[in-house]
Amino acid sequence: MRAPAAPSTPIAGFRRLLAGRTLSVLATCLVPTALTLAVIHATGSATDLGLVLACELIPQLVLLPVGGVLADRLPPQRVAFAADLVRGLIQLIIGVELLLGTVNIFHLSVLSAITGAAVAIGTPTVSPLVTAVVPPEARLRANSHLGTARGIALVAGPGIVGVMVITIGVGWSFVLTAALFIMAAATLGGLKVTRHERPAGNSTFMKDLAEGWQVVRSHRWFWTNLIGHGISNLTAGVLMTLGPLIALRELGGDVSWVITYQCGMVGLLLGAYLAPRLPIPRPLVATSLGGAVFALPLLTFAVPAPTAVNAAAYFVAMLGLGVLNTVWQTVMQQRFEPHTLARADSYDALLSFAARPLGLALAAPVAATTGNAAVLVFAAVLVGGSSLGLLTLREVRTMGFVTGEVPPQKPAPEAAAEHRK
């Protein structure tokens, strides 16, 4: 007898989600390098590059909570479609201007600001889409697949841009990036998902925005972890600034940093892959430990240790991050109500987007006064202490995964009446 088609629907839906997200993340990873080259072709000014990058970052920080509200109020696949379509059109415009020789910094700044707004609107749609097509007990594995795809894109993206620039030029590389975004939009926009019911009542956009903040504040395990993740991203920015400088000056040059960085990317991929295969009875304990191990490369670069030691330390740190990201996304998707999930996720992304640039900006000026070692050791103590400090919270130590759908609880009188039957 032929098996019914219904059980395969979630699998088909997730495959479409995975394909769409992979295309979107890959295109996203191509943009920074291509944008840098576009500015170099336009003016060659480091100041202009900083301006263009800032124009993309600021709308992300301002509009991420707005994106969370939109993804909770509207079908998330439509929001994801619109966000990736806008990003695709922007990349196409930049590519055409480069090919025609009409690009300038003002245009790039405006287009980058629109891109940043689209990133802010699209980012909070990922978790709602996962919960819409994947049952709770399968979300850890689903997030592992998504994390692995993202890691591959991070590793491959810069190399792909380099090949495209050498073979077809910067302008055409933007055109191909635009095609990836448009294909991602078409794939995600075509997802067939069950719309989560919103609570009855008169809800406005501003009320939903305020409610999102209240939801974050009401879960102590959540907002304390957000602080820990923000600190982790801050210290990652410190390492991304000082690590290459130390490698160049004291460890033999660029090759040392390239080896270390690539080992970290391998660790990130492996962590995402292993997350659903490891025995993790207490997920928030695992995420706390995953955050704490980022102290290792900060300490080894403070010495500085030989390249092999730095590479091993960064591998372990990024492996922990791969596990952390996968497990954390799963916990969020299992613990938040579907109609509030995107808003909660937007605050998680907001801290991540804000903290790393802050670390990048502060590391070098502070190190010029105190020395590299002092900054790196302080960052190591900060990330290790904040991550392990989360273990003092009872809910962090005791929370487990949701292993299946939890049936709705009947009101006490109704349940008692049924028991008497």
Side-chain angles (χ1 to χ4, degrees), residues 16-370:
R16 190 179 186 100
L17 172 60
L18 179 61
R21 280 298 300 164
T22 300
L23 289 169
S24 181
V25 171
L26 177 59
T28 300
C29 292
L30 300 181
V31 170
T33 302
L35 191 60
T36 300
L37 294 173
V39 174
I40 291 173
H41 277 70
T43 68
S45 168
T47 301
D48 288 340
L49 177 60
L51 173 64
V52 171
L53 296 177
C55 285
E56 182 176 354
L57 177 62
I58 292 171
Q60 293 179 35
L61 302 181
V62 173
L63 296 178
L64 265 167
V66 174
V69 175
L70 290 175
D72 277 337
R73 290 179 67 90
L74 303 173
Q77 73 274 24
R78 296 181 186 176
V79 179
F81 169 82
D84 278 343
L85 181 62
V86 168
R87 296 173 75 186
L89 293 176
I90 293 300
Q91 304 311 305
L92 181 60
I93 293 171
I94 295 175
V96 171
E97 289 197 352
L98 282 167
L99 292 172
L100 296 176
T102 59
V103 69
N104 59 56
I105 292 303
F106 176 74
H107 288 171
L108 283 177
S109 298
V110 172
L111 294 172
S112 293
I114 298 172
T115 298
V119 172
I121 300 304
T123 297
T125 64
V126 180
S127 283
L129 288 174
V130 172
T131 61
V133 299
V134 181
E137 66 275 10
R139 289 174 191 163
L140 182 60
R141 189 169 294 272
N143 287 312
S144 170
H145 291 315
L146 290 168
T148 302
R150 180 176 181 273
I152 292 173
L154 286 171
V155 173
I160 293 174
V161 172
V163 172
M164 289 196 301
V165 169
I166 292 171
T167 56
I168 61 177
V170 180
W172 283 110
S173 71
F174 273 97
V175 173
L176 289 181
T177 302
L180 289 176
F181 274 124
I182 292 171
M183 287 190 291
T187 304
L188 294 173
L191 274 170
K192 305 296 183 183
V193 302
T194 302
R195 179 64 176 156
H196 295 301
E197 293 296 327
R198 289 172 54 84
N202 296 324
S203 177
T204 67
F205 184 91
M206 295 306 297
K207 285 182 180 179
D208 283 354
L209 188 62
E211 183 189 31
W213 176 242
Q214 292 301 322
V215 167
V216 171
R217 291 181 57 193
S218 66
H219 296 281
R220 186 173 67 161
W221 65 268
F222 183 67
W223 64 260
T224 51
N225 270 274
L226 291 194
I227 294 173
H229 297 170
I231 292 173
S232 180
N233 277 279
L234 176 74
T235 57
V238 171
L239 183 61
M240 289 300 102
T241 301
L242 299 183
L245 293 175
I246 292 171
L248 181 63
R249 296 171 181 173
E250 303 182 47
L251 299 174
D254 295 339
V255 174
S256 174
W257 176 251
V258 170
I259 292 172
T260 300
Y261 183 79
Q262 291 303 323
C263 285
M265 292 302 99
V266 172
L268 182 68
L269 278 170
L270 185 60
Y273 174 80
L274 289 177
R277 295 165 174 83
L278 295 173
I280 302 179
R282 297 290 180 264
L284 294 185
V285 172
T287 60
S288 298
L289 296 176
V293 294
F294 201 84
L296 294 177
L298 293 164
L299 293 173
T300 61
F301 269 97
V303 175
T307 297
V309 176
N310 290 329
Y314 196 48
F315 171 84
V316 173
M318 295 303 284
L319 187 148
L321 182 63
V323 173
L324 185 158
N325 288 339
T326 303
V327 172
W328 175 252
Q329 288 296 320
T330 305
V331 171
M332 284 184 57
Q333 292 159 9
Q334 292 183 342
R335 293 289 172 175
F336 279 95
E337 294 291 335
H339 67 277
T340 66
L341 176 59
R343 280 169 285 177
D345 203 8
S346 71
Y347 282 98
D348 188 21
L350 176 61
L351 273 181
S352 298
F353 285 8
R356 181 164 295 203
L358 182 61
L360 291 168
L362 292 178
V366 176
T369 302
T370 65

